[in-house]
Amino acid sequence: MIIFGNAKLCNSKIHYTDKKQSVGDEMNKRKLALGNRNIVGARVTEARNQIGLKQKDLLARMQVAGVPISLPALSLLEGQKRPVSDIELKALSEILDVDVRWLLGQIEKS
């Protein structure tokens, strides 16, 4: 059996499945444990989720702000698997409308 998207090729016949990926309010949950390469990743995820942004939306806003970052890099940042630059930290603070000190864990969210 060979699977192409939502079509399965079985013995020269194609069968289509009606399985659709969940779309809507439900966001993907982190599958791996957080890393230790930065201290802001978990708070970036928290702030992003609180304002209802998806990773790709945050990515687009960061790129418009002039921060050259890819989706895998943003995912690694949120997973605390890669360091965060000062330029990224400033942009994240402005886009997510949170204090840089909160992202760094120095103050509580007001």
Side-chain angles (χ1 to χ4, degrees), residues 30 34 38-42 44-45 55 58 62 69 71-85 88-89 92:
R30 179 159 304 284
L34 292 175
N38 72 54
I39 57 176
V40 303
V44 168
T45 303
Q55 262 188 351
L58 176 56
M62 289 185 70
I69 189 168
L71 190 55
L74 179 58
S75 181
L76 290 172
L77 183 156
E78 286 191 7
Q80 297 176 231
K81 305 272 186 199
R82 83 178 219 5
V84 180
S85 74
E88 292 168 338
L89 185 61
L92 287 165

Side-chain angles (χ1 to χ4, degrees), residues 44-108:
V44 168
T45 303
E46 179 184 334
R48 178 177 60 76
N49 287 335
Q50 282 183 348
I51 61 174
L53 276 181
K54 293 184 178 182
Q55 262 188 351
K56 66 180 182 176
D57 299 326
L58 176 56
L59 173 72
R61 291 183 186 193
M62 289 185 70
Q63 290 174 340
V64 167
V67 179
I69 189 168
S70 66
L71 190 55
L74 179 58
S75 181
L76 290 172
L77 183 156
E78 286 191 7
Q80 297 176 231
K81 305 272 186 199
R82 83 178 219 5
V84 180
S85 74
D86 55 351
I87 294 168
E88 292 168 338
L89 185 61
K90 181 179 183 288
L92 287 165
S93 172
E94 292 171 356
I95 292 165
L96 298 170
D97 194 28
V98 295
D99 193 302
V100 170
R101 294 172 299 162
W102 179 79
L103 286 173
L104 293 170
Q106 296 174 336
I107 62 171
E108 292 300 314

Side-chain angles (χ1 to χ4, degrees), residues 23-41:
V23 178
D25 297 335
E26 197 171 315
M27 295 190 186
N28 293 336
K29 302 296 179 201
R30 179 159 304 284
K31 294 176 183 140
L32 300 173
L34 292 175
N36 61 0
R37 301 292 304 272
N38 72 54
I39 57 176
V40 303

Side-chain angles (χ1 to χ4, degrees), residues 8-15:
K8 295 179 184 176
L9 180 60
C10 303
N11 299 331
S12 301
K13 294 181 183 178
I14 297 178
H15 302 278

